[in-house]
Amino acid sequence: MSSSSTALRELQQDLENKANDLSKLQKDIAKNHQVRKKYTIQLGENELVLKELDLLNEDANVYKLIGPVLVKQDLAEANANVRKRIEYISAELKRLDGSLQDLEEKQHSKREAILKVQQRIQSHQAGKAKA
Amino acid sequence: MGKSQVKGTVTSLSSMFPAEEVQKAAKMVEDKLSDKQNEMNQLKEFIANNTSLINLVQKLPDELHHDIMVPFGKAAFFPGRLIHTNEFLVLLGESYYTERTAKQTVEILKRRGKSLESKVNTLKAVMQDLKAEASFFDSTASEAAEGLVEIREYEEDNSTERASQSGSLELETPSVAEADNKMGASEDDEYARIMSRLEELEKEELAAEDNEENLEDEDEDANAVESDGNEDELIKAAEGDGDEDEWTKAAFHRKKDECYSYLDHGQRYSESQSRKQLQQFNGKEPIEEMSNKYKHQDLTNQFASTGLTEEPVTKGEISHGRIIQQDTKSLSPSINASAPFEKKSVQASKSEFDSSKAFTGSIVEHTQNLDKSSVGTNMTSLQSSGSQPSKPVSRFKMQRK
């Protein structure tokens, strides 16, 4: 009886740990989603800027706001910068996608593990009730 | 009736779609809907701001300089002048500015406005989908709350399963779920087609009915007021000779109309429908009884096989009408047909196609009015042109959407 109750307690602790891990995973996934959203918006904006820059004449002035300073920039330079930024953001998004998938898989496996532990607990309790 | 044993099970709708869960789902959809509504409002505000900005930018170059009150800090202004009225530093995004004239600025702003509009349109489409979902959930919840019941009846001698439902909601029954899934893909397209054809047929039939006084009255009654009184009328009429035609026709029409009305009618009608069938059932000769039962069962089977998940009975009733036609045809050539339901309807439609016999209420004697026959063949030909078994399903799906 006592051995089974200690086993039961162990199982329950195990269950708690797994539940904590699962909630952490879920938080990570939520954060991932948020960052992804931000990046997607930035990507959209940068693409808009690129479009407008392409429509500009060669001699038009382009300025960049750096802090409180509006700095004059070369059109070619601005184009290059915007393009690089777009590439960087897309790479970040891809990375985030990969890690999101990872996290989801881990979450899935954690859920299954939790289920198993729960089943074991149930069988233990059933056994105890019979005895 | 003597040959077969009828077993039955009765399941409450609410057990299949628990009321609370459906309500929860409905709530979730409503929340999503309100979120989208907020987004929509924000976008609309942006668009409004954009247009007012365009107006301002267009007006500024009218003067060489404007006398204005210049904001100074958080809470002060001082009088000043706005010069260089045609030079604008436009924010392109991501802290990039560029100098543009008024005209060029207006062009930039217009492009921005266009992208905003397209966003609004996509959001509208999403909201419409959500609304449809929400209405479906609401209807499900109310129906489950009303305690509607799904009735399944099994007939043994023909070794085919028939299921009948008196509820207005039709749920996926496990026995025909697979059939439904198979047919799922092509249904939606056919559904649209079939709906339009149905409307055409309706018009034809209405025109046809103008030739018959009885039908007219009954149909008008049936269509106008779907009440028990009319049903009794119809039933009496139906139990006369050759009046089954009229009954089915009236029923058919009624069903069609119900397609456009919604739940309540459907409920009443389905109840009256099953009642009528039972009445006919009891009052007729053996063969007719059999055929009636076939009809009834096929109707219900059609119901089940379509695996209607969402649509109210109205649709099923339309299929009822169609099935009646089909079944009467199939029954006449081979009363003892024990083919499975789908094949039966296929056979029925094919045979209808060939035989140019119209649907009739009575099964044994094919008393057919020419008009009805033409309508019937049209209906069946339409049905056979689509994938027959799935017609009721597709119709349901279309209405769902």
Side-chain angles (χ1 to χ4, degrees), chain A residues 19 21 23 27 37 41-42 66 71 76 81 99 116 123 130:
Chain A
D21 291 339
S23 64
K27 276 194 217 146
K37 246 199 248 178
I41 296 179
Q42 279 187 354
I66 303 181
V71 177
N81 282 345
S99 67
K116 278 194 212 146
S123 63
K130 279 186 196 167

Side-chain angles (χ1 to χ4, degrees), chain A residues 52 55-56 61 63 65 85, chain B residues 94-95 97-99 111:
Chain A
E52 290 289 344
L55 286 170
L56 283 180
N61 296 329
Y63 301 87
L65 188 66
R85 196 155 160 74
Chain B
E94 284 285 315
S95 59
Y97 291 80
T98 181
E99 279 185 350
R111 266 175 264 144

Side-chain angles (χ1 to χ4, degrees), chain B residues 19-204:
Chain B
E20 307 96 24
E21 286 188 14
V22 174
Q23 280 175 356
K24 267 192 240 163
K27 236 191 133 200
M28 271 176 35
V29 174
E30 276 181 38
D31 287 342
K32 268 196 246 166
L33 197 63
S34 60
D35 283 344
K36 298 293 172 186
Q37 187 68 42
N38 288 340
E39 277 186 43
M40 176 78 86
N41 290 342
Q42 214 191 27
L43 281 179
K44 287 208 172 138
E45 217 184 300
F46 286 164
I47 292 182
N49 285 343
N50 205 16
T51 32
S52 63
L53 189 59
I54 289 181
N55 289 339
L56 181 66
V57 167
Q58 280 170 339
K59 277 212 292 201
L60 278 181
D62 290 345
E63 300 281 334
L64 273 177
H65 42 242
H66 294 268
D67 288 326
I68 56 172
M69 288 301 268
V70 183
F72 194 53
K74 279 195 215 173
F77 296 86
F78 62 82
R81 262 211 188 143
L82 190 67
I83 55 178
H84 296 287
T85 50
N86 203 23
E87 297 167 23
F88 292 86
L89 258 183
V90 186
L91 172 68
L92 302 177
E94 284 285 315
S95 59
Y96 275 100
Y97 291 80
T98 181
E99 279 185 350
R100 299 262 87 194
T101 71
K103 255 209 283 184
Q104 293 159 333
T105 313
V106 167
E107 280 173 21
I108 294 180
L109 289 176
K110 282 202 174 143
R111 266 175 264 144
R112 270 193 215 159
K114 259 197 232 167
S115 71
L116 281 177
E117 297 262 341
S118 66
K119 274 193 204 164
V120 166
N121 287 339
T122 50
L123 203 58
K124 265 192 204 163
V126 169
M127 272 179 64
Q128 270 192 353
D129 285 346
L130 281 180
K131 274 185 196 161
E133 253 192 86
S135 69
F136 160 63
F137 279 132
D138 280 342
S139 63
T140 322
S142 63
E143 287 176 7
E146 284 175 15
L148 286 171
V149 163
E150 176 193 355
I151 302 176
R152 283 174 144 262
E153 292 181 359
Y154 300 91
E155 181 176 338
E156 282 184 358
D157 66 338
N158 294 316
S159 68
T160 49
E161 280 192 6
R162 317 222 183 265
S164 69
Q165 286 191 347
S166 67
S168 63
L169 245 194
E170 284 157 4
L171 312 168
E172 290 182 357
T173 57
S175 59
V176 285
E178 306 114 31
D180 296 333
N181 292 336
K182 290 174 208 162
M183 305 182 221
S186 58
E187 286 162 327
D188 295 342
D189 302 324
E190 298 159 10
Y191 185 51
R193 265 185 278 146
I194 290 165
M195 277 310 291
S196 55
R197 287 170 194 158
L198 246 190
E199 291 184 22
E200 294 172 9
L201 283 172
E202 237 182 296
K203 290 176 198 163
E204 289 180 26

Side-chain angles (χ1 to χ4, degrees), chain A residues 16-65:
Chain A
E16 269 184 52
N17 293 339
K18 291 210 159 47
N20 287 339
D21 291 339
L22 189 67
S23 64
K24 250 196 280 168
L25 274 177
Q26 281 176 335
K27 276 194 217 146
D28 286 341
I29 288 185
K31 244 201 313 176
N32 196 311
H33 270 292
Q34 262 189 337
V35 181
R36 263 181 102 234
K37 246 199 248 178
K38 222 181 36 156
Y39 274 136
T40 331
I41 296 179
Q42 279 187 354
L43 185 67
E45 207 178 332
N46 272 301
E47 297 202 338
L48 265 184
V49 173
L50 194 62
K51 257 203 287 180
E52 290 289 344
L53 283 179
D54 287 340
L55 286 170
L56 283 180
N57 283 333
E58 273 301 322
D59 56 358
N61 296 329
V62 177
Y63 301 87
K64 183 158 170 126
L65 188 66

